[in-house]
Amino acid sequence: MDLQRNTVGSKQIFKNFNWFMKNRRFQQVTIGIAIFIIIYALIATSLTPQKYNLHPNEYATEDIISPKDVINEVATNKKIEQAIADVGEIYTPDRNIQKQAIDKANSFFNKVLEVQAMQISPDEKNKDEIKVNKLSSESPIKLAKDDYITAVQASKDDINSLRTRVIEYLNAAFEKNINDNENDLKEKKQDYSYAMSNLVLRKDLKDLGTNIGFMLIKPNMVLDI
């Protein structure tokens, strides 16, 4: 009787085991657990540093690699400083300098037209002298007296034509960028003067335009900090 029960029990266990083995859900869980165990074992093995049995003053028979990367901050900072030094100083154009020059030129020509339009008493003998003195005292650009005389006596069309060219040539000079050294500044002024000399205007007007430019052309490259 007991033998029969054991046989029946064994069959039931085998039947249950066989059912589990054929059950898809059971298979997925079993495979998942197996994969987890394998991955965990691999990670644990790779993270566990190898141990060496060494004694003080004993030389290692093989290279021992540190499990951590250590940054040498002193050496790294020196390399950074050296890299910065190798690049050198960097200069960028300051467009405000160009804008200020153009604004001053326009202000000058506006003042010239304003002075030319002044109403002076017919009885006054030195009308031009009065206008020249006023322009000299209120001009945004410091020029020689001969330049003020030329400006006061020029026609409105000549003044407007000269204004157009002065603005054009000033922009051309600044667009090429002017470094803070004597040679570059001299070169830019020479280019400006050459362009001005080719204008179809009276010589005194071309001289006026040249002198205006020379007063306004200055280095526009500033250190980029």
Side-chain angles (χ1 to χ4, degrees):
M1 187 70 175
D2 291 338
L3 179 60
Q4 186 177 2
R5 287 179 180 176
N6 290 336
T7 302
V8 172
S10 298
K11 288 182 178 180
Q12 184 64 35
I13 292 172
F14 178 78
K15 183 178 180 180
N16 291 338
F17 177 76
N18 192 39
W19 181 85
F20 276 116
M21 292 300 294
K22 291 182 179 181
N23 185 276
R24 185 173 182 80
R25 178 63 178 170
F26 175 77
Q27 292 175 354
Q28 291 175 341
V29 172
T30 303
I31 293 172
I33 293 173
I35 292 174
F36 172 78
I37 293 173
I38 293 172
I39 293 175
Y40 178 81
L42 291 174
I43 294 175
T45 302
S46 63
L47 293 179
T48 303
Q50 183 178 354
K51 295 183 179 180
Y52 297 88
N53 187 18
L54 297 176
H55 300 285
N57 300 323
E58 181 180 353
Y59 290 99
T61 58
E62 58 181 294
D63 292 336
I64 300 176
I65 301 175
S66 172
K68 295 183 179 180
D69 292 332
V70 179
I71 299 176
N72 187 332
E73 294 186 0
V74 175
T76 300
N77 290 335
K78 285 184 178 180
K79 288 185 177 181
I80 292 174
E81 292 173 359
Q82 184 61 46
I84 294 174
D86 291 341
V87 171
E89 295 179 335
I90 299 175
Y91 289 83
T92 57
D94 184 352
R95 296 306 175 193
N96 285 328
I97 295 176
Q98 178 179 352
K99 182 179 182 302
Q100 290 169 5
I102 300 303
D103 289 345
K104 270 193 174 184
N106 277 319
S107 295
F108 172 79
F109 287 109
N110 289 338
K111 179 58 65 174
V112 170
L113 294 176
E114 176 188 321
V115 169
Q116 286 182 343
M118 283 176 56
Q119 297 296 324
I120 300 177
S121 172
D123 297 332
E124 185 62 55
K125 295 181 180 180
N126 299 319
K127 295 183 179 65
D128 283 350
E129 185 70 20
I130 293 174
K131 292 182 179 181
V132 168
N133 290 336
K134 183 172 180 60
L135 179 59
S136 176
S137 63
E138 298 181 6
S139 172
I141 304 173
K142 189 66 176 177
L143 299 170
K145 185 175 181 178
D146 287 344
D147 289 324
Y148 294 131
I149 293 173
T150 298
V152 167
Q153 294 179 347
S155 68
K156 183 177 180 180
D157 288 342
D158 283 344
I159 291 298
N160 287 330
S161 178
L162 184 61
R163 180 210 295 258
T164 299
R165 296 309 175 192
V166 166
I167 300 301
E168 177 185 346
Y169 299 154
L170 281 175
N171 279 324
F174 283 111
E175 289 300 329
K176 293 178 181 178
N177 296 327
I178 307 170
N179 294 309
D180 190 10
N181 65 71
E182 185 178 349
N183 290 334
D184 195 43
L185 181 59
K186 182 179 179 181
E187 179 183 343
K188 296 303 189 297
K189 287 185 176 181
Q190 286 177 341
D191 291 343
Y192 176 91
S193 177
Y194 177 77
M196 193 63 62
S197 67
N198 289 324
L199 290 179
V200 184
L201 289 172
R202 297 196 323 262
K203 183 180 182 304
D204 58 343
L205 286 170
K206 290 190 285 188
D207 290 343
L208 170 61
T210 299
N211 293 334
I212 291 172
F214 281 11
M215 293 300 297
L216 298 178
I217 293 175
K218 61 180 65 177
N220 69 329
M221 299 297 288
V222 296
L223 183 62
D224 188 3
I225 301 177

